[in-house]
Amino acid sequence: MSDEPHTQIQQIQLPSPGTPGSQAPTKTPGRAPSASADSPGPVAGAWLTRLLVVGLVLAALNLRPAITSLGALLEEVRDGLHMSGSVAGVLTSVPPFCFALFGFAAPRLARRFGPGAVVCAGMVAITAGLLIRPFAGGTVGFLAASAVALMGIAVSNVLMPVIVKRYFPDRVGTMTGLYSMALALGTAVAAAVTVPMTEALGGSWRTGLGVWAVLAVLGVLPWLGLVRERGAAAPTSPSSSSSPSPGIPAPASGLRLGRSRTAWGLACFFGLQATGAYITMGWMPQIFRDAGISAGTAGLLLAVTMVMGVPLAFVIPRTAARMKNQGPIVIALGLCGLSAYAGLYFAPAEGAWAWAVLLGISNCSFPLALTMIGMRSRTGAGVVRLSAFAQSTGYLISIPGPLLVGVLYQHTGGSGLPIALMATFLLPQMVAGVVAGRDRTIEDEARMRD
């Protein structure tokens, strides 16, 4: 997958409803894609391109504050809703469960309504969930409202690599890095400012959680514009649609991802890194607080962990897109994580800032996984299926981790065993990432089976 500069960005045509599997137009080397009579003119195409970039960034900013803001205030929420440690573990397991459940539906929704419309609906769901959640009357209502927000996050999670592959096929590394960087920034900001913002707004955890709905509203606006403009863009003609290379089965009919080692490697790698990420977001502030660190500083430490993803989420995808095999990056990130957990186990307070930095580097497995999803299929339709399979299956794999940490935390009264468990998860993650990072595509594997 190349990430070299081109003279012109491909014009964007958002697929009309009922246009399943529409592909990005193919381009003749050295020539810009020609526009049909029904296609948007250069000005309209450039405007839609810029709007889509803004939409990707704002959507990415909203994909984690619902989770990390809760992690920063988990103790206050537990006290306010009278939750036990086990129930809090269930609460931190809700995100991957919702991501798996609703992620499987994302490709079908995208084929029916178009990816832009589905992401727009996802942003609306995030807004609604964040507005309702703080004022729910009890634990059940809180979980239900959280699920609404997480439903919106789930479909957007799956469709981000799809949109990048479809509309920026020669910029996969760059665009994946851009929205991964925005995602990391939103995660870090929510972790850092939730506690001080809550105190500034009167000290109520309900206000501290609900204020993030303002950012979600901003995330809705560009997608409303894209959905409105979609009707002005004509569907891509069959002659201009990209098709699989000769001898490679079409993704819609010839691929069985359940039989692909690459697909399973990606799913396991994605699931295990998600396990670590959601345990980190849900429990790391509490682990630091148990070591004698104040709530505000614990939130800042989580922010440091998350903010490491801002520059690295841009650098790692671009680097990975230029490499044939991403296994060395997988190993390097895993070793950083093992070092961080060792430090947290033996000296959590003394080296807290160093462990936060190392853990932040390790958590950059997420943008690496997204990049590999875009690189492990030759076609946009293949990326749709691979993204849904890897993310949904991966999130299913990640569900028990946060719950198990909550149970261990409650029954052992400390963080030692939960930290050891987190370190253990990194070992199979590294193995799965090496398998997923091999220089092959799911179409290659299907051809070898045939």
Side-chain angles (χ1 to χ4, degrees):
M1 182 69 64
S2 173
D3 201 31
E4 297 173 357
H6 289 259
T7 57
Q8 180 173 342
I9 295 178
Q10 178 183 345
Q11 288 185 1
I12 297 172
Q13 292 182 328
L14 295 178
S16 300
T19 311
S22 60
Q23 305 292 326
T26 56
K27 296 196 293 184
T28 302
R31 297 178 59 189
S34 59
S36 67
D38 297 325
S39 299
V43 174
W47 182 83
L48 287 174
T49 300
R50 288 192 291 268
L51 188 61
L52 182 58
V53 172
V54 172
L56 282 170
V57 170
L58 285 175
L61 285 171
N62 280 285
L63 294 184
R64 293 299 180 269
I67 302 166
T68 50
S69 61
L70 176 60
L73 295 172
L74 183 60
E75 184 172 311
E76 288 75 13
V77 173
R78 285 176 57 191
D79 292 342
L81 297 177
H82 308 291
M83 289 184 185
S84 67
S86 297
V87 173
V90 171
L91 181 61
T92 55
S93 292
V94 169
F97 176 78
C98 289
F99 293 168
L101 179 64
F102 297 111
F104 278 120
R108 180 173 296 181
L109 292 171
R111 288 193 298 268
R112 175 66 181 86
F113 301 104
V118 176
V119 173
C120 181
M123 292 296 105
V124 172
I126 293 170
T127 304
L130 290 177
L131 282 172
I132 297 169
R133 180 172 72 171
F135 306 103
T139 301
V140 174
F142 189 91
L143 288 171
S146 295
V148 172
L150 294 167
M151 175 179 64
I153 296 172
V155 294
S156 301
N157 272 335
V158 170
L159 293 180
M160 288 294 169
V162 174
I163 289 172
V164 167
K165 179 73 171 184
R166 181 170 293 178
Y167 301 124
F168 301 94
D170 301 314
R171 299 284 196 278
V172 170
T174 299
M175 295 306 298
T176 300
L178 180 64
Y179 80 75
S180 296
M181 185 170 62
L183 189 151
L185 181 61
T187 306
V189 169
V193 308
T194 295
V195 171
M197 185 169 57
T198 300
E199 294 173 351
L201 294 174
S204 171
W205 62 265
R206 299 181 187 274
T207 305
L209 293 182
V211 73
W212 292 103
V214 176
L215 180 62
V217 170
L218 296 177
V220 173
L221 300 179
W223 293 99
L224 287 174
L226 287 163
V227 170
R228 184 178 59 199
E229 291 293 332
R230 185 182 57 191
T236 305
S237 62
S239 61
S240 66
S241 297
S242 62
S243 57
S245 302
I248 297 176
S253 59
L255 292 180
R256 298 179 182 178
L257 295 185
R259 296 172 59 186
S260 166
R261 290 184 179 180
T262 296
W264 276 109
L266 268 171
C268 292
F269 178 67
F270 195 96
L272 289 166
Q273 68 80 28
T275 299
Y278 288 106
I279 292 173
T280 297
M281 287 185 280
W283 287 99
M284 290 315 298
Q286 190 63 51
I287 290 173
F288 284 124
R289 291 173 75 169
D290 289 345
I293 296 171
S294 69
T297 303
L300 285 176
L301 286 164
L302 178 60
V304 168
T305 297
M306 298 304 157
V307 83
M308 292 303 300
V310 177
L312 292 178
F314 190 72
V315 172
I316 288 176
R318 289 173 62 87
T319 303
R322 290 182 169 89
M323 298 173 65
K324 288 187 176 181
N325 189 320
Q326 291 75 43
I329 302 179
V330 170
I331 298 297
L333 296 179
L335 291 176
C336 286
L338 289 174
S339 300
Y341 289 133
L344 284 170
Y345 189 90
F346 292 107
E350 292 80 358
W353 297 100
W355 317 143
V357 169
L358 286 170
L359 197 56
I361 296 172
S362 179
N363 281 350
C364 287
S365 296
F366 175 72
L368 176 61
L370 294 181
T371 305
M372 290 195 290
I373 288 173
M375 297 176 68
R376 296 286 93 93
S377 177
R378 297 181 183 274
T379 66
V383 173
V384 172
R385 293 191 57 194
L386 183 58
S387 180
F389 178 83
Q391 294 201 48
S392 296
T393 305
Y395 283 125
L396 281 175
I397 292 170
S398 73
I399 290 172
L403 176 60
L404 185 55
V405 167
V407 172
L408 289 175
Y409 183 85
Q410 179 177 358
H411 291 286
T412 63
S415 305
L417 279 179
I419 291 171
L421 178 66
M422 290 183 247
T424 302
F425 285 146
L426 274 175
L427 301 177
Q429 175 182 322
M430 293 163 71
V431 173
V434 169
V435 172
R438 295 173 302 169
D439 183 22
R440 62 179 62 187
T441 66
I442 53 176
E443 291 87 357
D444 292 337
E445 291 185 332
R447 181 171 54 184
M448 285 189 289
R449 287 198 308 269
D450 296 339

